[in-house]
Amino acid sequence: DAKTTQPPSMDCAEGRAANLPCNHSTISGNEYVYWYRQIHSQGPQYIIHGLKNNETNEMASLIITEDRKSSTLILPHATLRDTAVYYCIVRVAVNRDDKIIFGKGTRLHILP
Amino acid sequence: EAQVTQNPRYLITVTGKKLTVTCSQNMNHEYMSWYRQDPGLGLRQIYYSMNVEVTDKGDVPEGYKVSRKEKRNFPLILESPSPNQTSLYFCASSWDRVKTQYFGPGTRLLVL
């Protein structure tokens, strides 16, 4: 399984870009990188995913390094509502197994 | 409205008393999954189902059972709950193993 490593917590000033790093050095060529977030104890919310190219949607941008061993989630203009735990996940599928591994995530604090 | 629902949302029970937490999705998703979330441990997958009548163990299946008799429902069964199963439980669904997962609102379980 390609596990991910994220910093346990980060701070970001409101209105600034929040850059959340994730290391996935053992990722395989056909594995996607997904990002979810969880606000307080609500169900996790999908943010974005990618394979090798950079991706952007209305919520965030995802930058994946050329060797695919790390990625960065960018929230371009962070607001207080972006305070949450952010999970970087690599989707693993071996034969019919599909053990999805959520790590401990990064707790992002947006500071007013 | 596309959604994943769980019932009950809150439950207090006693050791050994069988219980079932229901999960239902209205998006015709084939893939469904159960997670538990505990402080400091992040989200851990309990069981998942790739389709009707197909279920597999996740990372922490001990003490749990699931069934998938129809596509929309994926109940989680605790035959003999124990205090170490006190946790926050999330159900999720998606089109397949690669696509975005949609999470339910969570069920907070306390086993005395």
Side-chain angles (χ1 to χ4, degrees):
Chain A
D1 294 352
K3 297 196 189 320
T4 62
T5 304
Q6 300 176 252
S9 67
M10 292 181 64
D11 292 337
C12 179
E14 188 177 18
R16 305 294 294 270
N19 297 281
L20 293 92
C22 179
N23 286 320
H24 31 79
S25 58
T26 58
I27 192 171
S28 298
N30 62 347
E31 292 170 348
Y32 289 75
V33 180
Y34 280 76
W35 283 83
Y36 285 78
R37 73 180 182 184
Q38 187 175 25
I39 297 172
H40 197 42
S41 293
Q42 299 176 22
Q45 176 190 23
Y46 165 82
I47 301 173
I48 199 168
H49 75 281
L51 183 62
K52 59 176 76 173
N53 297 322
N54 297 339
E55 303 287 345
T56 295
N57 63 20
E58 64 277 5
M59 289 182 68
S61 294
L62 174 60
I63 309 297
I64 302 174
T65 58
E66 193 168 339
D67 63 8
R68 300 187 73 239
K69 294 185 176 184
S70 65
S71 60
T72 301
L73 177 74
I74 302 173
L75 307 178
H77 305 287
T79 70
L80 295 176
R81 287 177 293 181
D82 292 322
T83 293
V85 178
Y86 288 77
Y87 294 97
C88 170
I89 301 154
V90 173
R91 293 297 297 263
V92 178
V94 178
N95 297 325
R96 288 184 62 81
D97 290 341
D98 191 13
K99 295 183 180 180
I100 300 169
I101 301 170
F102 278 77
K104 296 181 182 179
T106 295
R107 188 172 294 276
L108 177 65
H109 299 279
I110 304 301
L111 307 175
Chain B
E1 179 189 352
Q3 61 182 348
V4 178
T5 57
Q6 297 177 226
N7 282 292
R9 295 289 313 280
Y10 304 91
L11 179 60
I12 301 174
T13 189
V14 295
T15 299
K17 186 176 181 182
K18 180 180 179 180
L19 66 91
T20 299
V21 183
T22 65
C23 173
S24 182
Q25 49 93 5
N26 62 0
M27 295 168 278
N28 202 35
H29 286 165
E30 293 190 344
Y31 181 95
M32 297 186 74
S33 182
W34 275 103
Y35 296 86
R36 62 177 288 174
Q37 186 172 34
D38 303 289
L41 295 176
L43 280 158
R44 294 180 293 169
Q45 192 176 40
I46 303 171
Y47 268 95
Y48 63 94
S49 169
M50 304 284 274
N51 212 327
V52 176
E53 301 293 358
V54 179
T55 63
D56 281 298
K57 296 177 181 179
D59 287 316
V60 287
E62 293 78 22
Y64 303 95
K65 289 174 63 177
V66 293
S67 69
R68 188 87 182 277
K69 293 183 171 53
E70 50 190 338
K71 185 179 277 191
R72 64 180 294 126
N73 296 322
F74 189 45
L76 179 69
I77 304 157
L78 285 71
E79 294 272 2
S80 182
S82 62
N84 64 12
Q85 292 179 297
T86 291
S87 188
L88 177 59
Y89 292 86
F90 290 102
C91 178
S93 74
S94 65
W95 286 110
D96 60 30
R97 59 179 172 79
V98 179
K99 297 293 191 293
T100 305
Q101 288 195 81
Y102 295 85
F103 283 81
T107 295
R108 193 169 291 278
L109 172 66
L110 172 61
V111 183
L112 301 173

